[in-house]
Amino acid sequence: MTTISSELDGRKSWVREQIFLGMSFRDYMRSLKTPFNFIALVILCVGLPVTVLRFTQGLETVTNLNDNYPWGLWIGFDVLCGVALAAGGYCLASAVHIFGLKQYRPIVRPAVLTGFLGYFFVVVGLLFDLGRPWRLPYPIVLSFGVTSVMFLVGWHVFLYLTVQFLEFCPAIFEWLRLNKFLRWATRITIGATVFGVILSTLHQSALGAMFLLAPSKLHPLWYSSFIPVFFFVSSMAAGLSMVIFESTLSHRIFSRQISHEDHHKFDGLVVGLGKAAAVVLFTYFCLKWIGVAHGNHWDLVGTPYGRLFLLEMLGFVMLPMLIYIWGVRENSARIVRIAAVWSILGIIFNRLNVSIFAFNWQLADRYVPHWMEITVTITIITVGLLTFRWIVNRMPVLYVHPEYPVTE
Amino acid sequence: MDRKKFFKTVGIAGTSLVAMSSTADARTRIVSPDWMGMLTDLSLCIGCRKCEWACNEANKLPNKPIQSFDDPSVFQEERRTHAEQFTVVNRFEVDDRPEPVFVKKQCMHCAEPACASACLVRAFSKTAEGPVLYNKDVCIGCRYCMIACPFLVPTYEYADAFSPEVKKCTMCFERFTQQGEVPACAGICPREAITFGKRSDLLKLAREKIRSHPDRYVDHIYGEHEVGGTNWLYISPVPFEELGFRTDLGETPYPEMTRPFLSAVPLVLSIWPMLLMGSYMFSKKREGEAPSTDLHERVDS
């Protein structure tokens, strides 16, 4: 015991400063007693046993998946929505590093972190869904199905996860004060960003392209040869909206990390992002109708599925677009934030329509997720939020590290 | 990684992907004369479901005594294939026809299978003999094959936690290649409604049957052209759409649905870096002319 504690003494200051946020272990544990943590604990207490059940008893015990519905909530929400909503990373990184919109630099790091964690937990969600998750590396190392769009998705998500980790490395190295690595990591920023944008373009659209193989199952109002473009363009709207939403929450929850002046300028950035999101949503809205015209499916707009389509198009694409425009004209960050939340819901609605609601539209039986599927999804989101908070509380994400003012 | 190295990496990745997609472009639309196939004559089937029993036996699936397959109550709802049932017979009542029509359902063994083009680990292969086979040793269990199959054939062992597999009909591949026997369902059929043979011969036989008995068959061989052709063929006394067959699938092989997208991949890989680096240079230059409007007024290194 004595040797261990004396060893600990040597490292104590670092552990205390960097891991326990400058508190003693006891104080740190006491500081964790918050309502949010209590809710998180309750969720984990349900989620972890369900996880054990999933990996010991198989998919049938915890899901309502069946032979007609091989993909459910985990693919429809965790993967499709997860990837779309993690698009903020490439949107912001390209805006700042490639298009030179330097004023957005303060929110690049949180966006890249959101992107990285988003993708990371997409892969975690995928592990739940795969029949043999331990074979996840097979398409990378063993057997190459080059005719498969999913092969592309697999490779790109793998590469992009690596790229996003590299993009976030400067924050980690600043935290650990590894100056040598920091210089190396900042030098590759441009290369990583360019590579990241290419990979994002391809796999965001490839997720849509996966459904090109289901022309007889996906309702014609959603099935289109343009579906890769739909997924790519809407991912930009999703990413921008998510950046607005995430940074707003961060500024509230971690407000003591941010200087007063930054809070003031931040609203201007939100309105600027809102302007971009409005343009993207407008483009997306037009594209979707071009898709309907291209397939000449106007007759289907009057059917029950047509009403679902109209609800999505008018209620969850046009409406958030109009709110964005309103917010930009009023120069109101508040209104833009409402539009962001509404857009996020809209993207989720779209991805669930493609993968679940409008899928197998000609079959009588419908898929409804099992409560344990929902539990797993909520658990993954919770662990994601906890990880985000853990990192933001320790690494220079929302603020500039006092010792490293230059971070190009 | 410096810029030069970065371009090198992108170049290598790009070239390999160009090579990859050009192999996908080489259209392998071969309808081999040696392919074996099956022809189901729906005018002969009496719904005895002995083929289901024989299929369970041949594939070592859980089975029941053959007598119990006479029970007509299973026809009350339309059934599909499952992990322990590679083939199912459904009953269809058709207007102005006193007798119902029975339809045997199983893997169609497409000429250009959607499942194979969907699979990211090449677990499915179209054999030279005709059947589409699945390799459980590489399957990761993503179930994209089941999404892609227009005939709702592949099934999954959801109850298995440690070694779940995709399950489907193999056209008794080993049985006919190694033991020289016909597939189990064709062998047991008391009405000879299922014929095993070369696909080209079966097409001739089907055409001959339709030509000589135009009163007994509709003039349509299902599987001759559907989704680019299948090795399992059907002829029927009533239009196929009345028997639960999808007649809106078209004649385009499914792999061609994703081909344009896959061909665009090398374009994005080669053009995007140019545009993005161009934009970077442009913004860098512009930045040199105007003072930085950075929030923290940081200096670029």
Side-chain angles (χ1 to χ4, degrees):
Chain A
M1 274 307 280
T2 46
T3 48
I4 293 171
S5 61
S6 63
E7 263 175 40
L8 275 174
D9 275 347
R11 300 199 49 138
K12 193 175 167 187
S13 58
W14 188 86
V15 171
R16 187 171 169 153
E17 288 308 313
Q18 302 304 337
I19 305 294
F20 297 131
L21 304 172
M23 289 177 266
S24 71
F25 181 69
R26 188 175 293 174
D27 286 343
Y28 176 70
M29 292 312 281
R30 203 170 289 152
S31 75
L32 293 179
K33 285 182 187 160
T34 62
F36 174 81
N37 284 350
F38 178 73
I39 297 167
L41 187 70
V42 171
I43 291 170
L44 292 183
C45 283
V46 185
L48 293 180
V50 172
T51 304
V52 172
L53 212 57
R54 152 68 189 94
F55 290 106
T56 55
Q57 304 300 308
L59 288 163
E60 194 170 85
T61 317
V62 295
T63 72
N64 279 346
L65 297 173
N66 58 49
D67 289 327
N68 284 340
Y69 290 91
W71 290 353
L73 184 73
W74 293 344
I75 297 294
F77 184 83
D78 299 22
V79 174
L80 295 186
C81 298
V83 169
L85 295 175
Y90 87 83
C91 290
L92 262 287
S94 57
V96 172
H97 296 304
I98 296 173
F99 301 115
L101 303 171
K102 300 289 180 197
Q103 67 269 32
Y104 290 98
R105 182 176 301 154
I107 48 177
V108 167
R109 267 194 191 173
V112 169
L113 178 62
T114 314
F116 172 68
L117 291 180
Y119 275 86
F120 183 80
F121 285 99
V122 161
V123 176
V124 171
L126 191 62
L127 290 175
F128 275 84
D129 188 78
L130 289 179
R132 303 199 197 198
W134 52 92
R135 288 183 174 181
L136 184 69
Y138 274 24
I140 311 292
V141 295
L142 191 78
S143 186
F144 311 119
V146 293
T147 59
S148 171
V149 176
M150 198 188 256
F151 178 72
L152 210 68
V153 176
W155 263 94
H156 289 171
V157 169
F158 161 68
L159 290 174
Y160 190 50
L161 204 54
T162 315
V163 166
Q164 282 203 314
F165 179 71
L166 292 177
E167 282 185 276
F168 189 69
C169 268
I172 301 175
F173 295 146
E174 284 175 16
W175 175 56
L176 299 173
R177 293 191 172 79
L178 295 169
N179 294 339
K180 205 171 150 192
F181 291 105
L182 178 64
R183 272 195 298 279
W184 167 81
T186 46
R187 222 173 279 158
I188 63 166
T189 307
I190 292 300
T193 306
V194 171
F195 197 39
V197 175
I198 299 163
L199 292 170
S200 295
T201 312
L202 288 172
H203 72 246
Q204 292 285 358
S205 52
L207 278 179
M210 290 202 308
F211 289 91
L212 287 172
L213 273 183
S216 64
K217 294 181 182 175
L218 182 56
H219 191 279
L221 285 173
W222 284 272
Y223 184 90
S224 161
S225 51
F226 298 150
I227 195 170
V229 183
F230 296 162
F231 266 57
F232 174 60
V233 174
S234 59
S235 83
M236 286 191 260
L240 292 168
S241 302
M242 196 64 188
V243 169
I244 296 170
F245 178 67
E246 168 272 311
S247 58
T248 301
L249 284 186
S250 294
H251 273 243
R252 283 228 177 116
I253 297 166
F254 307 103
S255 65
R256 62 191 168 77
Q257 293 192 18
I258 301 151
S259 69
H260 180 71
E261 186 205 13
D262 286 6
H263 275 296
H264 181 67
K265 285 191 178 173
F266 174 61
D267 281 357
L269 297 186
V270 166
V271 174
L273 290 173
K275 200 188 260 178
V279 173
V280 173
L281 280 177
F282 177 74
T283 311
Y284 179 59
F285 187 76
C286 297
L287 274 172
K288 285 285 274 188
W289 287 112
I290 292 171
V292 175
H294 185 73
N296 200 12
H297 294 309
W298 298 106
D299 52 321
L300 292 171
V301 176
T303 62
Y305 274 101
R307 281 193 279 280
L308 186 69
F309 185 74
L310 283 179
L311 177 67
E312 184 191 319
M313 291 310 298
L314 303 180
F316 290 92
V317 182
M318 197 175 82
L319 188 61
M321 176 189 82
L322 293 176
I323 304 176
Y324 266 131
I325 293 171
W326 181 38
V328 171
R329 288 194 62 148
E330 298 284 320
N331 200 22
S332 159
R334 228 175 87 85
I335 299 171
V336 167
R337 284 178 189 129
I338 295 168
V341 173
W342 204 244
S343 301
I344 290 168
L345 293 176
I347 298 297
I348 293 172
F349 190 43
N350 170 259
R351 298 304 193 259
L352 293 182
N353 275 338
V354 169
S355 61
I356 297 170
F357 300 135
F359 194 81
N360 277 346
W361 65 290
Q362 287 172 322
L363 292 188
D365 63 322
R366 303 305 310 167
Y367 156 85
V368 179
H370 195 282
W371 69 266
M372 289 203 264
E373 287 178 81
I374 300 170
T375 306
V376 166
T377 297
I378 294 173
T379 306
I380 293 174
I381 294 171
T382 307
V383 176
L385 289 176
L386 292 174
T387 314
F388 185 84
R389 188 184 64 180
W390 194 92
I391 293 173
V392 164
N393 272 333
R394 283 158 184 84
M395 301 180 199
V397 176
L398 297 175
Y399 60 93
V400 180
H401 197 294
E403 291 169 34
Y404 303 98
V406 181
T407 55
E408 175 70 355
Chain B
M1 191 168 21
D2 62 326
R3 205 167 295 160
K4 203 186 270 174
K5 264 193 191 145
F6 163 71
F7 278 127
K8 203 172 148 194
T9 318
V10 171
I12 293 165
T15 322
S16 57
L17 275 155
V18 170
M20 185 180 105
S21 58
S22 57
T23 47
D25 258 348
R27 298 198 172 182
T28 48
R29 209 164 167 178
I30 314 152
V31 178
S32 165
D34 295 327
W35 274 350
M36 302 306 285
M38 306 283 269
L39 172 65
T40 306
D41 184 339
L42 298 179
S43 74
L44 297 174
C45 181
I46 51 167
C48 70
R49 296 172 58 223
K50 287 195 169 57
C51 50
E52 288 186 21
W53 178 86
C55 178
N56 293 344
E57 284 295 302
N59 291 294
K60 300 185 179 66
L61 301 174
N63 212 352
K64 285 185 284 186
I66 194 162
Q67 298 82 1
S68 67
F69 281 78
D70 293 337
D71 177 14
S73 66
V74 294
F75 292 129
Q76 274 161 11
E77 55 187 65
E78 196 180 332
R79 298 177 300 153
R80 63 152 291 159
T81 52
H82 284 297
E84 296 180 342
Q85 266 179 309
F86 297 174
T87 187
V88 288
V89 178
N90 283 310
R91 184 179 66 190
F92 291 88
E93 305 287 349
V94 183
D95 295 342
D96 346 309
R97 221 185 123 86
E99 297 289 303
V101 179
F102 297 94
V103 178
K104 179 186 181 300
K105 194 179 157 79
Q106 74 296 305
C107 178
M108 299 292 285
H109 299 281
C110 304
E112 293 188 53
C115 55
S117 85
C119 185
L120 79 168
V121 287
R122 287 195 305 174
F124 288 93
S125 53
K126 179 76 177 169
T127 57
E129 292 84 353
V132 176
L133 297 185
Y134 163 77
N135 174 7
K136 67 178 187 336
D137 294 329
V138 291
C139 175
I140 67 171
C142 71
R143 309 185 296 283
Y144 187 25
C145 51
M146 297 164 69
I147 293 283
C149 177
F151 301 108
L152 298 173
V153 164
T155 68
Y156 202 62
E157 293 180 312
Y158 290 102
D160 192 332
F162 301 107
S163 56
E165 293 172 23
V166 171
K167 291 285 190 178
K168 70 168 200 70
C169 157
T170 62
M171 212 197 269
C172 286
F173 180 77
E174 287 183 10
R175 212 175 141 95
F176 80 76
T177 53
Q178 288 171 18
Q179 290 142 37
E181 290 179 49
V182 299
C185 54
I188 201 166
C189 183
R191 299 274 292 163
E192 296 184 8
I194 311 166
T195 315
F196 173 69
K198 281 192 179 171
R199 186 179 185 270
S200 47
D201 294 340
L202 294 175
L203 278 172
K204 275 181 215 146
L205 173 67
R207 277 194 208 103
E208 179 56 29
K209 279 190 172 194
I210 293 171
R211 198 189 57 80
S212 50
H213 299 284
D215 51 321
R216 206 192 285 168
Y217 301 102
V218 292
D219 187 12
H220 181 178
I221 305 170
Y222 193 92
E224 184 180 13
H225 300 298
E226 276 75 11
V227 299
T230 62
N231 283 42
W232 205 293
L233 306 164
Y234 288 87
I235 48 174
S236 163
V238 294
F240 283 100
E241 52 269 29
E242 293 174 35
L243 302 175
F245 284 82
R246 293 287 298 253
T247 50
D248 57 347
L249 297 178
E251 299 182 359
T252 310
Y254 268 44
E256 283 181 26
M257 309 273 179
T258 50
R259 207 160 273 160
F261 176 79
L262 290 170
S263 317
V265 168
L267 292 182
V268 172
L269 275 176
S270 45
I271 294 172
W272 249 221
M274 180 185 80
L275 293 178
L276 295 173
M277 288 315 286
S279 170
Y280 169 68
M281 304 295 180
F282 180 72
S283 69
K284 195 91 177 157
K285 184 167 175 283
R286 199 178 48 180
E287 198 179 297
E289 289 162 2
S292 168
T293 51
D294 188 347
L295 189 59
H296 297 288
E297 269 134 27
R298 281 179 250 170
V299 200
D300 283 320
S301 58

